Amino acid sequence: MSKLVIHQIPCLSDNYGYLIHDPEADTTATIDTPEIGPIEASLKSHGWELTHILNTHHHYDHAGGNLELQEKTGCAIIGPRDEADKIPGIEKEVGDGDTFLFGTHEVQVIGVPGHTLGHIAYYFEEEGVAFVGDALFALGCGRVFEGTPEQMWSSLEKLMALPDETTVYCAHEYTQANAKFAATIEPGNTDLTARIAKIDKLRARGEPTVPTTIGLERKTNPFVRPSSDEIQQTIGLVGASAAAIFTEVRHRKDSF
Ligand code: ZN
Ligand code: FE
């Protein structure tokens, strides 16, 4: 099995698109379709032909380019079963616990509802990489638009159960804004302080702060650290359930 080649593409104002390429099978997928131009330019520069679209959820900055790319390339579209009616051009519907082959690589589908009701993540266990769309961000998580906070919390728990070394490719560069919020929730977390200094340096040079890893989020992301004494004290919920703590942190971020 050849190694999966991953290429990250800045799209729109703060989205990331991703091309993944399996050299052995000569298959190439785009994770979501935020913006046609940069995706096509990247395909061309690599000499790759698009064979698949893997959608994480139905929002326009994720599935808005589906039909145009499908028309131009004839690629197959795989997406979330639980919101299939909102995914333009979908051919293969997948949901939590499903696996399928992308070229020679097995892909595991993880249902991560909350941001949208059908949101899914794509996990390549052998490669140790996960494409999480708008479920989890560097130092943040997606807004809970369609589901409940409890649902979002159990989605994040599933992602946090992946190995620490897992590389996490999320769909937006929101890290610096997330960092400002995180610093108000857990100011005494020295891992967080050190990470914020790195983030500020990267952004000052215009460089991405994505991908991240599960381990790094576990140490620094205030949305997935309900057992932190400092977080519990900051939000006044000492000893509360993890879901309740998550809910309050999410609520505070929404009005930050
Ligand atoms: Zn979204
Ligand atoms: Fe998005």
Side-chain angles (χ1 to χ4, degrees), residues 139 177-187 192 196 220-223 253 256:
L139 289 181
N178 289 341
K180 288 198 177 75
F181 173 72
T184 68
I185 297 293
E186 202 177 15
L192 174 62
I196 292 174
T220 55
N221 184 328
F223 295 92
K253 175 67 163 64
F256 181 69

Short mmCIF file of all heavy atoms in Angstrom, two decimals, residues 139 177-187 192 196 220-223 253 256:
data_model
loop_
_atom_site.label_atom_id
_atom_site.label_comp_id
_atom_site.label_asym_id
_atom_site.label_seq_id
_atom_site.Cartn_x
_atom_site.Cartn_y
_atom_site.Cartn_z
N LEU A 139 -8.05 24.40 18.79
CA LEU A 139 -8.49 25.16 19.96
C LEU A 139 -9.97 25.51 19.94
O LEU A 139 -10.42 26.39 20.68
CB LEU A 139 -7.66 26.45 20.15
CG LEU A 139 -6.22 26.27 20.60
CD1 LEU A 139 -5.54 27.63 20.77
CD2 LEU A 139 -6.16 25.50 21.93
N ALA A 177 -8.49 33.32 16.69
CA ALA A 177 -9.69 33.78 17.41
C ALA A 177 -10.03 32.79 18.52
O ALA A 177 -10.38 33.19 19.64
CB ALA A 177 -10.85 33.95 16.45
N ASN A 178 -9.93 31.50 18.22
CA ASN A 178 -10.18 30.49 19.25
C ASN A 178 -9.21 30.63 20.42
O ASN A 178 -9.58 30.43 21.58
CB ASN A 178 -10.05 29.08 18.66
CG ASN A 178 -11.18 28.74 17.71
OD1 ASN A 178 -12.24 29.36 17.74
ND2 ASN A 178 -10.95 27.74 16.87
N ALA A 179 -7.96 30.97 20.09
CA ALA A 179 -6.93 31.09 21.13
C ALA A 179 -7.27 32.21 22.11
O ALA A 179 -7.07 32.07 23.32
CB ALA A 179 -5.57 31.34 20.49
N LYS A 180 -7.78 33.32 21.58
CA LYS A 180 -8.13 34.46 22.45
C LYS A 180 -9.20 34.03 23.46
O LYS A 180 -9.14 34.39 24.64
CB LYS A 180 -8.65 35.62 21.61
CG LYS A 180 -7.54 36.29 20.83
CD LYS A 180 -7.96 37.68 20.34
CE LYS A 180 -6.81 38.37 19.63
NZ LYS A 180 -6.59 37.83 18.28
N PHE A 181 -10.15 33.25 22.98
CA PHE A 181 -11.19 32.75 23.88
C PHE A 181 -10.62 31.73 24.87
O PHE A 181 -10.86 31.81 26.08
CB PHE A 181 -12.32 32.12 23.06
CG PHE A 181 -13.34 31.42 23.91
CD1 PHE A 181 -14.23 32.17 24.69
CD2 PHE A 181 -13.41 30.03 23.96
CE1 PHE A 181 -15.18 31.53 25.49
CE2 PHE A 181 -14.35 29.39 24.75
CZ PHE A 181 -15.24 30.13 25.53
N ALA A 182 -9.84 30.79 24.37
CA ALA A 182 -9.27 29.74 25.22
C ALA A 182 -8.50 30.34 26.39
O ALA A 182 -8.58 29.86 27.52
CB ALA A 182 -8.37 28.82 24.39
N ALA A 183 -7.78 31.44 26.11
CA ALA A 183 -6.97 32.08 27.15
C ALA A 183 -7.83 32.63 28.28
O ALA A 183 -7.35 32.77 29.41
CB ALA A 183 -6.12 33.20 26.54
N THR A 184 -9.10 32.94 28.01
CA THR A 184 -9.97 33.44 29.08
C THR A 184 -10.56 32.30 29.91
O THR A 184 -11.01 32.52 31.03
CB THR A 184 -11.17 34.26 28.51
OG1 THR A 184 -12.05 33.39 27.80
CG2 THR A 184 -10.70 35.37 27.59
N ILE A 185 -10.56 31.10 29.36
CA ILE A 185 -11.19 29.96 30.03
C ILE A 185 -10.20 29.18 30.90
O ILE A 185 -10.53 28.66 31.95
CB ILE A 185 -11.83 29.01 28.98
CG1 ILE A 185 -12.94 29.73 28.21
CG2 ILE A 185 -12.36 27.74 29.62
CD1 ILE A 185 -14.16 30.09 29.04
N GLU A 186 -8.94 29.11 30.40
CA GLU A 186 -7.95 28.34 31.15
C GLU A 186 -6.58 29.04 31.12
O GLU A 186 -5.60 28.50 30.60
CB GLU A 186 -7.84 26.91 30.54
CG GLU A 186 -7.27 25.92 31.52
CD GLU A 186 -7.22 24.49 30.96
OE1 GLU A 186 -7.37 24.31 29.74
OE2 GLU A 186 -7.04 23.56 31.75
N PRO A 187 -6.53 30.25 31.69
CA PRO A 187 -5.29 31.05 31.59
C PRO A 187 -4.09 30.40 32.25
O PRO A 187 -2.95 30.70 31.90
CB PRO A 187 -5.67 32.37 32.28
CG PRO A 187 -6.88 32.06 33.11
CD PRO A 187 -7.60 30.96 32.41
N LEU A 192 -1.21 25.60 26.91
CA LEU A 192 -2.02 26.51 26.10
C LEU A 192 -1.26 27.81 25.82
O LEU A 192 -1.19 28.27 24.68
CB LEU A 192 -3.35 26.81 26.80
CG LEU A 192 -4.24 27.85 26.15
CD1 LEU A 192 -4.68 27.42 24.75
CD2 LEU A 192 -5.47 28.14 27.02
N ILE A 196 -0.26 29.21 22.16
CA ILE A 196 -0.73 30.50 21.64
C ILE A 196 0.44 31.32 21.10
O ILE A 196 0.33 31.96 20.05
CB ILE A 196 -1.52 31.28 22.73
CG1 ILE A 196 -2.83 30.55 23.03
CG2 ILE A 196 -1.80 32.71 22.28
CD1 ILE A 196 -3.63 31.12 24.19
N THR A 220 -4.89 21.28 25.25
CA THR A 220 -5.05 22.74 25.19
C THR A 220 -6.44 23.25 24.80
O THR A 220 -6.73 24.43 25.01
CB THR A 220 -4.03 23.33 24.18
OG1 THR A 220 -4.20 22.67 22.92
CG2 THR A 220 -2.61 23.15 24.65
N ASN A 221 -7.27 22.44 24.19
CA ASN A 221 -8.56 22.92 23.65
C ASN A 221 -9.62 22.94 24.76
O ASN A 221 -10.01 21.90 25.28
CB ASN A 221 -8.98 21.98 22.51
CG ASN A 221 -10.25 22.43 21.81
OD1 ASN A 221 -11.13 23.03 22.43
ND2 ASN A 221 -10.34 22.13 20.54
N PRO A 222 -10.12 24.14 25.13
CA PRO A 222 -11.03 24.24 26.28
C PRO A 222 -12.35 23.50 26.08
O PRO A 222 -13.05 23.23 27.07
CB PRO A 222 -11.28 25.75 26.40
CG PRO A 222 -11.01 26.31 25.05
CD PRO A 222 -9.92 25.45 24.46
N PHE A 223 -12.68 23.17 24.83
CA PHE A 223 -13.95 22.47 24.57
C PHE A 223 -13.89 20.98 24.89
O PHE A 223 -14.92 20.32 24.97
CB PHE A 223 -14.37 22.67 23.11
CG PHE A 223 -14.69 24.10 22.79
CD1 PHE A 223 -13.72 24.95 22.28
CD2 PHE A 223 -15.96 24.61 23.02
CE1 PHE A 223 -14.01 26.28 21.99
CE2 PHE A 223 -16.27 25.93 22.73
CZ PHE A 223 -15.28 26.77 22.22
N LYS A 253 -18.49 30.87 24.34
CA LYS A 253 -17.82 31.20 23.07
C LYS A 253 -18.78 31.86 22.09
O LYS A 253 -18.41 32.77 21.33
CB LYS A 253 -17.21 29.93 22.46
CG LYS A 253 -16.57 30.12 21.07
CD LYS A 253 -15.33 30.99 21.11
CE LYS A 253 -14.47 30.87 19.87
NZ LYS A 253 -15.11 31.33 18.64
N PHE A 256 -18.78 35.45 22.80
CA PHE A 256 -17.45 36.03 23.13
C PHE A 256 -17.15 37.18 22.18
O PHE A 256 -17.29 37.05 20.98
CB PHE A 256 -16.39 34.93 23.03
CG PHE A 256 -14.99 35.40 23.36
CD1 PHE A 256 -14.66 35.75 24.67
CD2 PHE A 256 -14.02 35.50 22.38
CE1 PHE A 256 -13.37 36.18 24.98
CE2 PHE A 256 -12.73 35.93 22.70
CZ PHE A 256 -12.41 36.27 23.99
#
